[in-house]
Amino acid sequence: MSKAIPVGVSARHVHVTREHLDILFGEGYQLTVKKPLSQPGQFACEEQVDLITEKGSFKKVRILGPERKQTQVEISLTDSLKLGIKPPVRDSGNLAGSPGLTIVGPKGQVTIEEGVIAACRHIHMTIADAAELGLKDKDIVKIAFGGERGLIFDQVLIRVSDSFKLDCHLDTDEANAAKIGNSDTVELIK
């Protein structure tokens, strides 16, 4: 069975805790919504920070809201070369043993000992979507894109929750390799 799934391309970004937001932007600071993201309640923020390691840095990296229980930085594997670190490819929130870095905001900076990952490619879906497709949370599937640089991606994680909306998340490396954009769809292959 195959099914067309909309794609969201995810560039490098940061999720922050309340504690770290206070340090980076000032006590009681509230994130400012720039635009909603594909997943309900998620949004790109106006706020940006710098990411720094001993070997490299990125300026003006966007924060995504809302606040999280643990600060997390998501980068591509190409980004990791510039930063000189080796992030594991992991599901969001699985941060144990990952490298850290320094996050610099306008009011202060935070050094996290762990929290930098390259997010594994994944598909968000509702419980109804999963039932229709015969899938469950944490299943692994393949997806195909038939464009000019068509590819089949293996090891795509299924994430199921009624708080999700059907959407496939790829990082910039993956999207660039297949010439996939935010307006494209991929086919789910079971």
Side-chain angles (χ1 to χ4, degrees):
M1 167 187 273
S2 71
K3 179 177 178 76
I5 309 287
V7 172
V9 179
S10 182
R12 73 183 74 96
H13 62 271
V14 178
H15 300 281
V16 294
T17 63
R18 174 75 255 166
E19 176 189 5
H20 290 165
L21 185 60
D22 284 342
I23 294 167
L24 296 167
F25 289 89
E27 189 73 30
Y29 189 88
Q30 295 298 309
L31 293 170
T32 308
V33 177
K34 178 180 175 68
K35 68 177 183 174
L37 299 175
S38 64
Q39 294 308 303
Q42 304 292 309
F43 53 92
C45 301
E46 293 288 351
E47 292 76 16
Q48 297 176 326
V49 292
D50 297 341
L51 305 178
I52 301 172
T53 67
E54 290 180 4
K55 296 189 176 180
S57 65
F58 283 109
K59 301 274 188 200
K60 297 185 177 183
V61 177
R62 187 142 331 263
I63 292 178
L64 300 187
E67 296 162 17
R68 293 278 181 102
K69 292 178 183 175
Q70 189 172 358
T71 294
Q72 173 176 306
V73 176
E74 294 182 35
I75 62 174
S76 71
L77 294 177
T78 298
D79 290 343
S80 74
L81 298 174
K82 181 175 180 182
L83 294 176
I85 58 177
K86 294 183 179 179
V89 177
R90 299 251 183 93
D91 188 15
S92 181
N94 182 358
L95 307 178
S98 62
L101 49 61
T102 298
I103 304 168
V104 179
K107 300 283 185 179
Q109 68 182 37
V110 173
T111 298
I112 56 173
E113 297 303 317
E114 64 183 17
V116 182
I117 64 167
C120 61
R121 49 187 167 250
H122 58 278
I123 300 172
H124 292 277
M125 62 179 60
T126 65
I127 294 169
D129 292 327
E132 174 190 338
L133 297 167
L135 297 169
K136 64 185 182 314
D137 194 47
K138 305 294 186 205
D139 277 352
I140 302 293
V141 299
K142 294 180 183 182
I143 56 173
F145 182 70
E148 181 181 358
R149 297 194 68 192
L151 281 174
I152 293 176
F153 288 104
D154 198 359
Q155 302 299 311
V156 181
L157 177 67
I158 298 298
R159 299 184 59 200
V160 179
S161 170
D162 272 341
S163 66
F164 292 155
K165 178 181 171 189
L166 188 62
D167 198 34
C168 175
H169 288 179
L170 302 174
D171 72 19
T172 52
D173 286 350
E174 294 159 336
N176 288 339
K179 202 173 175 185
I180 296 174
N182 283 319
S183 60
D184 290 321
T185 61
V186 291
E187 291 291 321
L188 173 65
I189 304 170
K190 283 179 70 174

